[in-house]
Amino acid sequence: MYERQHIVAAARGDEPMDTIIKNVNLVNVFTAEIYPADIGIKENRFSAIAPYHQGSPAFEMQGKVQIDAKEKFAVPGFIDCHVHIESTMVTPDMFARALLRNGTTAAVIDPHEIGNVLGMEGVEYMVQASKGLPVHILTTVPSSVPAVPGLETSGAVFGAEEIEKLLQLPEVVGIAELMDYVGVIKQSPRMAGIVQKGLDLQVLNEGHLPRVTGRDLHAYLAAGVNSDHESRSVNEIIEKLRAGMLIYIRESSVSQFADIAAKAWQELPYAANIAMCTDDVEPNDMLHNGQMNRVVRRCIEEGIPAPLAIRFASLNGAIRYGLRDRGAITAGYLADFSLVDSLETMDVADVFVQGKHMVKNKEILVDIRSSIPPIGKNTVMIPSLTEQDFAVHAPVQHGMVTIHTMEMTEIGTTKLGTLQLEVTDGKITELPEDYVFAAVVGRHGQNRKPFVGILKNAGLHAGAYATTVAHDSHNLVVAGKNARDMLLAAQNLKASGGGLCIVQDGEKMAQVDLPIAGLMAAEPIEELGPRVETFNRVARNLGVKVGRRSPSMALSSLTLTVIPEVRISDLGLVDVGKQELIPLFQN
Amino acid sequence: MYERQHIVAAARGDEPMDTIIKNVNLVNVFTAEIYPADIGIKENRFSAIAPYHQGSPAFEMQGKVQIDAKEKFAVPGFIDCHVHIESTMVTPDMFARALLRNGTTAAVIDPHEIGNVLGMEGVEYMVQASKGLPVHILTTVPSSVPAVPGLETSGAVFGAEEIEKLLQLPEVVGIAELMDYVGVIKQSPRMAGIVQKGLDLQVLNEGHLPRVTGRDLHAYLAAGVNSDHESRSVNEIIEKLRAGMLIYIRESSVSQFADIAAKAWQELPYAANIAMCTDDVEPNDMLHNGQMNRVVRRCIEEGIPAPLAIRFASLNGAIRYGLRDRGAITAGYLADFSLVDSLETMDVADVFVQGKHMVKNKEILVDIRSSIPPIGKNTVMIPSLTEQDFAVHAPVQHGMVTIHTMEMTEIGTTKLGTLQLEVTDGKITELPEDYVFAAVVGRHGQNRKPFVGILKNAGLHAGAYATTVAHDSHNLVVAGKNARDMLLAAQNLKASGGGLCIVQDGEKMAQVDLPIAGLMAAEPIEELGPRVETFNRVARNLGVKVGRRSPSMALSSLTLTVIPEVRISDLGLVDVGKQELIPLFQN
């Protein structure tokens, strides 16, 4: 009758605990201390904690199961404040399985990628497929579908009306990263309308504000958006912390800022507004480097005291999302926690969810599989193509032209370049070393010829590389040295329903199938990860050297029209700063 | 159309601010820093903050009104996490007026006293009368009406059903201090049922846990109650902080613990779970010593750094109660703040609420008066009484008896004593020096003769002192040296509808009328406070020396059957530890 009756009785000592973790080093995120304690668990919750004084616990608990955890550390389940499941390339159940092994027991997802491909149906699928998993998944509704209307074509367009509908779905807690920050700051009707929905419905408006400081930072906050995970410098973080923005320290496969965050923390050791997120982690990266435990490990390496780093990764996220009984190890809270061997490695050995032993010595004890069937098996809707479609068509028949190029830098950003080229029969079909063709093929039924541009420093010296994972609209991107291989790579992905493909001299060299919305596969990352590794090896052999951890993502941000300075879309070359299309050929 | 449009435009610099606070020392509660800044306010919110670098602001703002605040400190509006309006003896509007002058702009009230007198109608009145005031008032539903059933008679009894109904009222955010902590720990059906309602309805279950540590502390937390404002020692606070309990540092008229809280903080300087409350502040005490600003001042005096003390008094309370845009001075938050001359005195000079200048140089600029008519004008429902009713009736006609007494200690607690007395005609009518009669007269229509006990060390050497403010059931308590004055004092309060009265030699010496539920008056504390002062002077002249700040409260906790060790009620002498009635006469 009373939900907590037995849990309270066990705390009093009138009933045995179900499980006792004996003599563990408890990471207390309330007080930022670590000390030995016994942890008593009853049913789904922590029931009592007995700290040690002079070698023995404050009180002795009886328990059905006793686990001697001497030398181990008990760490609250991590709460990932912002993550795109799609970046891990697996379905929500497989994602939860992967998170669990890394000690993450709650995550706030942003189904932005599938939203751009499948619209509201995609978001609804993610919400449904995230239900009932051992990782507590909350959803934020993608705010920027597409990221920048008019500069690219996505599979759906969300306005305030769509956002409002999606906000009614269960476990939806907010509006996800408002990437069109210019729209928010300038109060464009679309973005002001979306933010207003969040305010009206009293959900969280989550931010995305790279390199914005001063008045514009305050304008963004004034609009009602007050979190960020996109800082690029120590000073930027300090300014944002002072302005009361909740900073999610991010270590993703794409970008890392534990180092600058730790430096900012050293300036502001009492800052209250820090949490953590992973944003985008590729399957092979997660296998090798972990997930939220990686963020924590990196912060500790950079000098944030371990219990504070762990507070940022647990309690502070719980507070953000109103999870009142998560994020700490104390009586009355849900018993979501892990045992780690060392705070230096943050290697997770055992994981408990609501008191249940889910991972034991790194082996998962439960079968995690959603009963919701995947959707989006036919999303690579590209037109019929020929080799001709992958050449650059010049405004003259013959002679020299000056063409705008996109140059990739060492640090993964891009800048606008120019190149003088010879035109033959109205086309450019050959490029100097260091340059490749980069085409975007609309795959949302827009039935438009590919936009073909020129890319410097991708490193690809032969063949073609295609992907349907191309942020944020996820059209099909293919880069290559020749049209034949480019066409073949694109056709392979159409046939497979999406994923990654490398073709050389007319032959398929590597392929990763991602048949769900062209973004995900329904398999464990232990299986998908090695395939991505193989793909990466082939890509590296072909010279792909783009400045990110995994060549599988080499082309995926070429189309990200919100990251400076120049990007491509199915509509053309995009000047990100000016938010306008720029002509391919210089006058 | 978009709520924040002009606020954002002002942040950008495209519109002027309404008000600019120039060159103020900004107390930044996010980072726990103090630095000079300009604060821009537009409409009801902070729009932008420009910190100073080398003597000038990061950006210049234009504003219709500019206030030069050099040397002053800008402090976020305080949030009082737990307070009984009734203790200030005024109605909610007058209470809000008093809080405002002290820089408190939000308060979580517990209408426990009026609930004990008028039941659900009393709570509803407080909720209604708290609406639309410049202080944002949230309500927690009194959980312990009466505090201890069976040991006293109150005007109402709340079970889970009543609690559930009250939780539906607007602005109700939780269940107030669960004082029957023994019931919570032992999971008595009544308390387990009430806590379960809080869990079911996802509101906060607020705690009250004096001197409870170890297993029982964990049992209370396990039950789902995780705040406290009743600690009595440094070690108790440390243990509770480690257990994840949210500690409200309390400085009330009754008890103060800034000193021990500061010592606990020195042990745990990174503790995240500290906020503040005032609980009970009498009108004259508030006039002289302030309200939440007093708690802050005391914490600073005891060594907590000012910006952290202010964080506890603002941001941490906002987080507790899910007030996402209150508790700090930053763009997008409601512009609730004050200007103080010094962090040492915490004297509040100016107060703004939602951008509106409400208090200027300590003068209130607005008329604050609720349109809700007060209720409870006829709540002193005592039976017809004679002098005989105020004698102690002995079990023998003549001879010596040993009687149990209640002894007040220097620090305001009580203990059980004994006294040998001569009985004449079956009655005790005279007492040694240091002793007075103390009677509790049921005023909730229970139609029962007074219970008359004997009290040591009250200090009253003549006359009689009566009050209808007698926690928690608020029956009429009268202490005196003789039955005639006691009867007269009680009758005076019946006639006035309640309050405080002192009678000597058949003459009324001082009276404070509290005609609303016998607890409150509808007047500013600037008027009521001096009357209480007069009353206090008369009481002191009669020798009242009870160990509290104000003699007006001398008798008010004699009946508090949850505070150790012995108390009296309309039903008899109560052993608080054992929670049972004890016989007046020793066998």
Side-chain angles (χ1 to χ4, degrees):
Chain A
M1 178 178 180
Y2 306 118
E3 191 183 309
R4 304 283 183 98
Q5 211 158 10
H6 299 292
I7 301 166
V8 179
R12 286 196 313 262
D14 293 339
E15 288 185 26
M17 297 287 172
D18 291 336
T19 306
I20 297 173
I21 313 293
K22 286 288 293 178
N23 203 3
V24 73
N25 295 300
L26 173 73
V27 179
N28 189 322
V29 292
F30 293 110
T31 58
E33 296 175 293
I34 299 175
Y35 49 78
D38 290 350
I39 299 174
I41 299 161
K42 183 76 175 180
E43 294 174 355
N44 58 340
R45 293 181 187 271
F46 299 112
S47 168
I49 316 289
Y52 279 49
H53 299 291
Q54 297 169 335
S56 38
F59 44 88
E60 283 289 347
M61 294 182 276
Q62 305 304 314
K64 295 172 200 163
V65 177
Q66 283 218 6
I67 295 171
D68 182 8
K70 206 175 164 186
E71 313 293 326
K72 285 199 165 67
F73 293 81
V75 173
F78 299 127
I79 297 175
D80 191 339
C81 286
H82 173 67
V83 55
H84 305 283
I85 291 183
E86 302 94 315
S87 295
T88 310
M89 299 181 174
V90 293
T91 44
D93 46 359
M94 296 297 118
F95 172 79
R97 192 174 179 282
L99 260 56
L100 212 57
R101 299 188 73 162
N102 290 295
T104 301
T105 56
V108 181
I109 66 163
D110 170 10
H112 175 72
E113 318 310 341
I114 198 169
N116 268 284
V117 175
L118 289 167
M120 297 183 48
E121 189 194 350
V123 175
E124 281 168 43
Y125 161 69
M126 295 300 267
V127 169
Q128 294 303 331
S130 295
K131 271 191 195 167
L133 299 175
V135 172
H136 185 57
I137 294 181
L138 302 172
T139 300
T140 48
V141 173
S143 65
S144 310
V145 175
V148 186
L151 297 183
E152 60 188 315
T153 313
S154 57
V157 178
F158 288 177
E161 203 178 312
E162 287 78 14
I163 298 283
E164 184 169 13
K165 273 187 201 151
L166 292 172
L167 285 173
Q168 317 296 332
L169 291 175
E171 305 295 353
V172 168
V173 292
I175 298 177
E177 50 178 342
L178 286 138
M179 284 188 284
D180 182 4
Y181 55 85
V182 175
V184 173
I185 292 166
K186 296 207 184 300
Q187 293 279 285
S188 74
R190 177 179 180 232
M191 294 319 294
I194 288 174
V195 171
Q196 186 67 49
K197 284 294 170 213
L199 296 172
D200 290 346
L201 296 171
Q202 294 182 295
V203 299
L204 292 162
N205 282 318
E206 297 288 353
H208 164 115
L209 200 62
R211 291 192 182 134
V212 176
T213 60
R215 294 195 92 118
D216 281 351
L217 165 61
H218 293 268
Y220 195 70
L221 287 162
V225 193
N226 69 349
S227 66
D228 183 57
H229 56 276
E230 290 289 345
S231 292
R232 294 295 194 274
S233 73
V234 178
N235 283 340
E236 187 181 341
I237 297 177
I238 289 174
E239 185 176 348
K240 286 174 175 170
L241 286 173
R242 285 189 174 137
M245 200 157 224
L246 184 62
I247 295 296
Y248 303 142
I249 302 176
R250 172 178 68 180
E251 288 273 307
S252 75
S253 299
V254 185
S255 74
Q256 296 81 36
F257 70 81
D259 52 346
I260 57 172
K263 289 197 182 75
W265 174 83
Q266 270 139 15
E267 287 290 307
L268 302 173
Y270 278 95
N273 41 332
I274 306 176
M276 285 184 186
C277 75
T278 65
D279 207 353
D280 302 283
V281 183
E282 293 145 26
N284 43 329
D285 192 17
M286 202 187 293
L287 278 175
H288 294 307
N289 301 306
Q291 203 251 355
M292 283 288 286
N293 50 342
R294 180 238 300 257
V295 195
V296 172
R297 183 176 64 234
R298 287 287 302 123
C299 284
I300 295 171
E301 279 169 13
E302 296 290 340
I304 298 180
L308 279 184
I310 293 169
R311 175 194 288 177
F312 301 159
S314 55
L315 184 62
N316 285 7
I319 290 170
R320 173 65 171 179
Y321 291 104
L323 304 171
R324 287 184 188 150
D325 54 1
R326 292 175 192 266
I329 297 174
T330 193
Y333 276 44
L334 290 169
D336 292 0
F337 69 105
S338 59
L339 298 176
V340 305
D341 292 320
S342 132
L343 297 178
E344 279 67 49
T345 63
M346 286 305 295
D347 255 1
V348 172
D350 288 66
V351 182
F352 291 75
V353 174
Q354 300 204 15
K356 212 173 145 186
H357 207 155
M358 291 266 179
V359 176
K360 190 171 182 175
N361 291 328
K362 305 197 175 191
E363 288 305 315
I364 199 150
L365 301 179
V366 286
D367 188 35
I368 300 170
R369 197 168 285 274
S370 170
S371 61
I372 305 289
I375 62 166
K377 302 258 180 165
N378 183 26
T379 60
V380 188
M381 298 179 285
I382 59 174
S384 295
L385 298 169
T386 66
E387 284 184 29
Q388 295 299 317
D389 295 322
F390 291 97
V392 173
H393 295 265
V396 294
Q397 277 301 99
H398 292 280
M400 294 302 284
V401 290
T402 303
I403 191 163
H404 281 131
T405 64
M406 178 164 57
E407 297 183 4
M408 307 194 78
T409 66
E410 287 291 313
I411 57 163
T413 58
T414 54
K415 53 182 192 171
L416 191 65
T418 56
L419 178 66
Q420 295 236 322
L421 281 175
E422 179 94 39
V423 178
T424 313
D425 294 331
K427 289 180 295 187
I428 299 162
T429 52
E430 298 230 352
L431 294 174
E433 221 185 305
D434 287 346
Y435 288 89
V436 293
F437 294 104
V440 182
V441 191
R443 70 163 170 117
H444 305 304
Q446 55 260 64
N447 207 12
R448 168 197 289 274
K449 290 289 179 197
F451 167 75
V452 187
I454 290 170
L455 178 65
K456 188 179 182 185
N457 294 338
L460 186 72
H461 57 62
Y465 169 141
T467 180
T468 53
V469 180
H471 298 274
D472 284 334
S473 288
H474 300 291
N475 286 303
L476 190 157
V477 176
V478 53
K481 293 298 279 187
N482 68 79
R484 188 173 70 125
D485 287 345
M486 289 172 78
L487 174 63
L488 194 55
Q491 285 170 332
N492 282 344
L493 292 187
K494 181 176 186 174
S496 70
L500 305 163
C501 182
I502 290 178
V503 170
Q504 190 181 9
D505 299 332
E507 202 178 317
K508 188 197 293 182
M509 306 295 289
Q511 184 155 338
V512 176
D513 291 342
L514 301 172
I516 300 160
L519 299 171
M520 295 176 285
E523 47 189 291
I525 66 164
E526 291 83 355
E527 291 172 27
L528 183 67
R531 279 211 289 285
V532 174
E533 279 294 351
T534 304
F535 179 91
N536 284 346
R537 204 168 49 242
V538 172
R540 281 194 199 96
N541 285 343
L542 281 178
V544 172
K545 56 166 189 184
V546 177
R548 306 230 326 237
R549 292 191 185 200
S550 173
S552 64
M553 290 290 113
L555 303 182
S556 299
S557 67
L558 286 187
T559 45
L560 199 50
T561 54
V562 289
I563 303 288
E565 293 175 4
V566 59
R567 304 279 156 168
I568 52 173
S569 80
D570 62 321
L571 303 182
L573 202 59
V574 176
D575 182 322
V576 176
K578 293 183 183 156
Q579 289 288 297
E580 60 185 31
L581 293 170
I582 43 181
L584 187 57
F585 293 93
Q586 208 177 47
N587 291 327
Chain B
M1 178 178 180
Y2 307 118
E3 191 182 309
R4 304 283 183 98
Q5 211 158 11
H6 299 292
I7 301 165
V8 179
R12 287 196 311 263
D14 293 339
E15 288 185 25
M17 297 288 172
D18 292 336
T19 306
I20 298 174
I21 313 294
K22 285 288 293 178
N23 204 3
V24 73
N25 295 300
L26 173 74
V27 179
N28 188 323
V29 291
F30 293 111
T31 58
E33 295 176 292
I34 299 175
Y35 49 77
D38 290 350
I39 299 174
I41 299 161
K42 183 75 175 181
E43 295 174 355
N44 57 341
R45 292 181 187 271
F46 299 112
S47 168
I49 316 289
Y52 279 49
H53 300 291
Q54 297 169 336
S56 37
F59 44 88
E60 282 289 348
M61 294 182 276
Q62 305 304 313
K64 294 172 200 163
V65 177
Q66 283 219 5
I67 295 171
D68 182 9
K70 207 177 163 185
E71 313 293 326
K72 284 199 165 68
F73 294 81
V75 173
F78 299 126
I79 297 174
D80 190 339
C81 286
H82 174 67
V83 55
H84 305 284
I85 291 182
E86 301 94 315
S87 295
T88 309
M89 299 181 174
V90 293
T91 44
D93 47 358
M94 296 298 119
F95 172 79
R97 191 174 179 282
L99 261 55
L100 211 56
R101 300 188 72 162
N102 289 294
T104 301
T105 56
V108 181
I109 66 163
D110 170 10
H112 176 72
E113 318 310 341
I114 198 169
N116 268 284
V117 175
L118 289 168
M120 298 184 47
E121 190 194 350
V123 175
E124 280 168 45
Y125 161 68
M126 295 300 267
V127 170
Q128 294 303 332
S130 295
K131 272 190 194 167
L133 299 174
V135 173
H136 185 57
I137 294 181
L138 303 172
T139 300
T140 48
V141 173
S143 64
S144 310
V145 176
V148 185
L151 297 183
E152 60 188 315
T153 313
S154 57
V157 178
F158 289 178
E161 202 178 312
E162 286 78 13
I163 298 284
E164 183 170 13
K165 272 187 203 152
L166 292 171
L167 286 173
Q168 318 296 331
L169 291 174
E171 307 293 354
V172 168
V173 292
I175 299 177
E177 50 178 342
L178 286 139
M179 284 188 284
D180 182 4
Y181 54 86
V182 175
V184 173
I185 291 166
K186 296 208 185 298
Q187 293 279 286
S188 74
R190 177 179 181 234
M191 294 319 294
I194 288 174
V195 171
Q196 186 67 48
K197 284 294 170 214
L199 297 173
D200 290 346
L201 296 171
Q202 293 181 294
V203 298
L204 292 163
N205 281 319
E206 297 288 352
H208 165 114
L209 200 62
R211 291 191 183 136
V212 176
T213 59
R215 294 195 91 118
D216 281 351
L217 165 61
H218 292 269
Y220 195 70
L221 287 162
V225 193
N226 69 350
S227 66
D228 183 58
H229 57 276
E230 290 289 345
S231 292
R232 294 296 194 273
S233 73
V234 179
N235 283 340
E236 187 181 341
I237 298 177
I238 289 174
E239 185 176 348
K240 285 174 175 170
L241 287 172
R242 285 188 174 136
M245 200 157 226
L246 184 62
I247 295 296
Y248 303 142
I249 301 176
R250 172 177 67 181
E251 288 274 306
S252 75
S253 299
V254 186
S255 74
Q256 297 80 37
F257 70 82
D259 52 347
I260 57 172
K263 288 196 182 76
W265 174 83
Q266 270 140 15
E267 287 289 307
L268 302 173
Y270 278 96
N273 42 331
I274 305 176
M276 284 184 187
C277 75
T278 65
D279 207 353
D280 301 283
V281 183
E282 293 145 27
N284 43 329
D285 191 18
M286 202 187 294
L287 278 175
H288 294 308
N289 302 306
Q291 203 251 355
M292 282 289 286
N293 50 341
R294 179 238 298 259
V295 195
V296 172
R297 184 177 62 235
R298 287 286 303 121
C299 284
I300 294 171
E301 279 170 11
E302 296 290 341
I304 297 179
L308 279 184
I310 293 169
R311 175 194 288 177
F312 300 159
S314 56
L315 184 63
N316 285 7
I319 290 170
R320 172 66 172 180
Y321 291 104
L323 303 171
R324 287 185 188 149
D325 55 1
R326 292 176 192 266
I329 297 174
T330 192
Y333 276 44
L334 289 169
D336 291 1
F337 69 105
S338 60
L339 299 176
V340 305
D341 292 321
S342 133
L343 297 178
E344 279 67 49
T345 63
M346 285 306 294
D347 255 2
V348 172
D350 288 67
V351 182
F352 291 76
V353 174
Q354 300 203 15
K356 213 172 145 188
H357 207 156
M358 291 266 180
V359 177
K360 190 172 182 176
N361 291 327
K362 305 198 175 190
E363 288 305 315
I364 199 149
L365 302 178
V366 285
D367 188 34
I368 299 169
R369 199 167 285 273
S370 171
S371 61
I372 306 288
I375 61 166
K377 301 259 179 164
N378 183 27
T379 61
V380 188
M381 297 179 286
I382 59 174
S384 295
L385 297 169
T386 66
E387 284 185 29
Q388 295 300 318
D389 295 322
F390 292 97
V392 173
H393 295 265
V396 294
Q397 276 302 99
H398 292 281
M400 294 301 284
V401 290
T402 303
I403 191 163
H404 281 131
T405 63
M406 178 163 58
E407 296 184 3
M408 309 194 77
T409 67
E410 288 291 313
I411 57 163
T413 58
T414 53
K415 53 183 192 171
L416 191 66
T418 56
L419 179 66
Q420 295 236 323
L421 282 175
E422 179 93 40
V423 178
T424 312
D425 294 331
K427 286 181 295 187
I428 297 163
T429 52
E430 297 230 352
L431 294 174
E433 221 185 305
D434 286 348
Y435 288 88
V436 293
F437 295 103
V440 182
V441 191
R443 69 163 170 117
H444 305 305
Q446 55 260 63
N447 206 14
R448 167 197 290 273
K449 290 289 179 198
F451 167 75
V452 187
I454 289 170
L455 178 64
K456 187 178 183 187
N457 293 338
L460 186 72
H461 57 63
Y465 169 140
T467 180
T468 53
V469 179
H471 298 274
D472 284 335
S473 287
H474 301 289
N475 286 304
L476 191 156
V477 176
V478 52
K481 293 298 279 187
N482 67 80
R484 187 174 68 125
D485 288 345
M486 289 172 79
L487 174 64
L488 195 54
Q491 285 171 332
N492 283 343
L493 292 188
K494 182 176 186 174
S496 71
L500 305 163
C501 183
I502 290 177
V503 170
Q504 189 181 9
D505 300 331
E507 201 179 317
K508 188 198 291 181
M509 305 296 288
Q511 183 154 338
V512 176
D513 290 342
L514 301 173
I516 300 161
L519 299 171
M520 295 175 285
E523 48 189 289
I525 66 164
E526 292 82 355
E527 292 171 26
L528 183 67
R531 280 211 290 285
V532 174
E533 279 295 349
T534 304
F535 180 90
N536 284 345
R537 204 166 50 241
V538 172
R540 282 195 198 97
N541 286 343
L542 282 177
V544 172
K545 58 167 189 185
V546 177
R548 305 222 338 229
R549 293 190 184 200
S550 174
S552 64
M553 289 290 113
L555 304 182
S556 299
S557 66
L558 286 188
T559 44
L560 200 49
T561 54
V562 289
I563 303 288
E565 293 174 3
V566 59
R567 304 281 156 168
I568 52 173
S569 80
D570 63 320
L571 303 182
L573 202 58
V574 176
D575 181 323
V576 175
K578 293 184 183 155
Q579 289 288 298
E580 60 186 30
L581 294 170
I582 44 181
L584 187 56
F585 293 92
Q586 208 177 48
N587 291 326

